[in-house]
Structures are given as C-alpha cells and as structure tokens.
Amino acid sequence: MKYLRIKKADYVGNLTVMLTFNDGAVVTINFGSWIISHPHPQHNRYLNEKEFKKFYIDDMGNIAWGRNRNLYFPIDELRIGKLSS
C-alpha cells in the first residue's frame, strides 16, 4: 500500500460518517462537533444534514465537501479518528 486512502464513506446519522480505509481500518467520526466549534461561513452550511450528506471521496482518497473541497481534513487525522482543533 503506497498511500493511505478512504475507500468508502457511509453516512450513519447525526453528521457522522463511517470511513473505510485502504488499510482495512474502519473509523466512525462525528464531524458536526468540529463544524460547530469552528464556525466559518463556508463550513456552517454543512450543519444542515441535507448539505452534509453531499460529501464525496476526492481524487486523493479523502472525504470532502463542496465543489472546490471547501471542507476536508488531513487523512492521518481521519485515520486515527481525531480532528484537530
């Protein structure tokens, strides 16, 4: 395995996503608490479940939101399940 990537991302409710990585790890993360604690006009819209559920796995194997990846997180943080402050 050359690079760590997300293979699959499943919405499980309450702004929480279960991520499956190419190394076999499965991590469930609540992104809502991070968005609430880091208010920003670009990110606040993802507190709306309908908008939040529009996430995708980008060409680098990371979860992202928005046409221009206006919300995404470092893959190593996602892998350990802890988003930085």
Side-chain angles (χ1 to χ4, degrees):
M1 175 180 61
K2 191 170 182 179
Y3 299 105
L4 184 62
R5 301 176 59 89
I6 296 170
K7 288 176 34 179
K8 185 177 175 189
D10 296 304
Y11 183 69
V12 296
N14 195 30
L15 306 180
T16 301
V17 179
M18 182 171 54
L19 304 171
T20 303
F21 292 84
N22 63 339
D23 66 354
V26 178
V27 178
T28 302
I29 299 175
N30 179 291
F31 292 91
S33 57
W34 187 92
I35 297 169
I36 289 169
S37 66
H38 296 81
H40 187 282
Q42 254 183 267
H43 305 154
N44 295 346
R45 71 189 224 196
Y46 300 115
L47 290 170
N48 174 305
E49 185 177 40
K50 183 177 177 181
E51 290 297 315
F52 181 85
K53 289 169 76 173
K54 294 179 182 178
F55 63 81
Y56 59 95
I57 299 173
D58 68 12
D59 58 346
M60 300 296 291
N62 201 341
I63 189 170
W65 289 261
R67 259 180 54 197
N68 297 314
R69 292 177 56 205
N70 52 346
L71 180 61
Y72 68 98
F73 299 89
I75 195 86
D76 57 325
E77 291 181 11
L78 295 172
R79 175 59 179 75
I80 62 170
K82 291 191 174 216
L83 305 177
S84 66
S85 309

